[in-house]
């Protein structure tokens, strides 16, 4: 199975431009699963509610989402993308898994970072896993979490306990820790992880924010299979055997899940 990410300098307020870049970065690439950054349609640093309203979209009808659905079908590739979502009168920092058969699944970020709390409602559903199949793989379970969710190990653990073999992780990372910390998220759950980060800055009259790049893919032993640059847009792909994530033994006598002592974790 070929999995990868698109590391992108998302242009704030310019979903058309972002889509063009995604199309051109993936044009000559073959993959079964590609992950794009957080808020890949809109950009990150909002200044007011009007911007948020204008740049968010309904997942069923939005132009950006429909373009990703089409790319997924044409390339016969599952695509996970961060989306600035509008649903009724609420806004969510969401991730959507688009499948080639037209089905899609939504996860809404449950741990909002810093000023995101001003703009977005926190996710209203438990993280779930979704089974995908393709020409060269079948019944692989995929989970989604978004950026700052990484610092709450419960997010990745919940997905792994539900059977996720690959955790897709659209991100707009602003601190330096996550790329190193994903070693632990991958190892402690014996899962593959794909962190698709942003590069560049959002520069607004009232502030500026920089993103750290270095998108990473890890295997269930915590090996870094792929690491992108800090400052280039790139689409990197690696071939994996997703069944490696089904083995939860860490020694002959230790199983990551069966050895949990839940009665001692009353927090
Ligand atoms: C983040 O959650 N975008 C830092």
């Amino acid at each position: 199975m070929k999995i990868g990410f698109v590391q992108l300098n998302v242009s704030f307020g310019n979903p058309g431009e972002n889509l063009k870049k995604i199309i051109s970065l993936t044009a000559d690439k073959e993959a079964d699963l590609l992950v794009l950054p957080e808020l890949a349609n809109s950009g990150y640093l909002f200044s007011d509610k009007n911007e948020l309203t204008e740049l968010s979209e309904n997942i069923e009808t939005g132009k950006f989402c429909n373009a990703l659905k089409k790319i997924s079908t044409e390339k016969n590739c599952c695509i996970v993308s961060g989306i600035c979502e509008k649903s009724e009168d609420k806004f969510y920092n969401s991730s959507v898994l688009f499948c080639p058969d037209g089905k899609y699944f939504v996860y809404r970020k449950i741990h909002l970072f810093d000023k995101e709390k001003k703009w977005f409602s926190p996710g209203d559903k438990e993280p779930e896993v979704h089974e995908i199949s393709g020409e060269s793989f079948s019944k692989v379970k995929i989970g989604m979490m978004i950026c700052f969710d990484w610092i709450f190990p419960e997010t990745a653990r919940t997905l792994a306990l539900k059977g996720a073999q690959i955790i897709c992780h659209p991100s707009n990372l602003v601190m330096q820790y996550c790329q190193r910390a994903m070693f632990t998220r991958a190892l402690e759950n014996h899962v593959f992880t794909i962190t698709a980060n942003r590069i560049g800055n959002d520069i607004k009259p009232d502030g500026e924010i920089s993103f750290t790049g270095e998108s990473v893919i890890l295997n269930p032993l915590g090996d870094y299979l792929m690491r992108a640059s800090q400052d280039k847009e790139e689409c990197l792909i690696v071939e994996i055997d997703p069944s490696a994530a089904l083995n939860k033994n860490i020694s002959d006598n230790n199983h990551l899940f069966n050895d949990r002592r839940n009665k001692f974790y009353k927090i």
Side-chain angles (χ1 to χ4, degrees):
M1 179 178 184
K2 288 183 179 171
I3 64 171
F5 55 73
V6 181
Q7 175 166 288
L8 206 61
N9 186 357
V10 177
S11 169
F12 185 90
N14 208 338
E17 173 68 21
N18 296 328
L19 197 57
K20 266 196 213 155
K21 288 203 246 186
I22 292 162
I23 293 170
S24 104
L25 284 162
T26 58
D28 59 348
K29 305 282 183 182
E30 260 185 44
D32 300 302
L33 173 65
L34 278 177
V35 184
L36 312 181
E38 180 181 8
L39 298 172
N41 54 333
S42 59
Y44 188 79
L45 192 61
F46 294 94
S47 300
D48 58 49
K49 187 98 185 263
N50 289 339
E51 272 183 350
L52 183 65
T53 308
E54 203 175 300
L55 294 173
S56 54
E57 63 177 60
N58 178 284
I59 292 181
E60 182 64 33
T61 58
K63 265 194 194 167
F64 190 89
C65 286
N66 275 307
L68 292 185
K69 276 179 210 163
K70 190 160 167 260
I71 298 170
S72 166
T73 305
E74 282 170 3
K75 290 184 85 67
N76 195 22
C77 170
C78 292
I79 296 178
V80 171
S81 178
I83 297 288
C84 180
E85 181 193 2
K86 184 173 188 341
S87 175
E88 297 177 354
D89 58 345
K90 291 198 171 146
F91 301 93
Y92 296 98
N93 183 339
S94 297
S95 176
V96 186
L97 164 63
F98 298 102
C99 300
D101 62 3
K103 288 203 186 100
Y104 67 87
F105 304 94
V106 183
Y107 163 70
R108 293 170 170 161
K109 188 176 187 178
I110 54 179
H111 303 104
L112 295 173
F113 178 68
D114 199 20
K115 296 195 182 68
E116 289 171 33
K117 292 184 178 185
K118 186 169 168 191
W119 308 118
F120 297 109
S121 298
D124 49 359
K125 293 185 195 81
E126 267 186 46
E128 293 296 347
V129 302
H130 311 285
E131 202 170 82
I132 62 170
S133 295
E135 274 163 25
S136 56
F137 64 99
S138 81
K139 300 192 173 180
V140 173
K141 291 196 171 129
I142 302 294
M144 294 182 275
M145 64 181 195
I146 302 175
C147 205
F148 192 55
D149 281 332
W150 74 266
I151 211 165
F152 300 90
E154 296 87 348
T155 321
R157 175 49 59 98
T158 299
L159 290 169
L161 286 171
K162 290 185 176 187
Q165 292 161 264
I166 305 173
I167 294 182
C168 301
H169 184 209
S171 295
N172 276 190
L173 293 161
V174 295
M175 296 190 290
Q176 302 290 341
Y177 313 119
C178 173
Q179 292 89 337
R180 282 178 286 150
M182 290 311 289
F183 162 78
T184 308
R185 293 294 95 80
L187 180 66
E188 70 195 355
N189 294 299
H190 265 206
V191 291
F192 291 88
T193 63
I194 310 171
T195 298
N197 198 17
R198 252 197 80 162
I199 57 164
N201 315 297
D202 276 354
I203 301 171
K204 304 294 285 294
D206 49 340
E208 181 172 338
I209 195 162
S210 300
F211 303 96
T212 56
E214 283 192 81
S215 299
V216 287
I217 301 179
L218 288 99
N219 73 12
L221 300 178
D223 299 317
Y224 285 80
L225 302 181
M226 206 52 94
R227 186 191 287 271
S229 63
Q230 290 178 356
D231 56 1
K232 284 190 203 59
E233 297 189 309
E234 45 196 331
C235 173
L236 298 179
I237 292 161
V238 65
E239 192 154 351
I240 63 156
D241 173 3
S243 70
L246 299 173
N247 177 0
K248 303 297 181 189
N249 291 312
I250 202 98
S251 77
D252 286 348
N253 295 300
N254 292 103
H255 186 279
L256 285 172
F257 294 170
N258 298 348
D259 282 9
R260 295 172 72 235
R261 306 293 307 280
N262 299 28
K263 69 175 179 180
F264 295 118
Y265 314 142
K266 293 215 174 60
I267 44 169

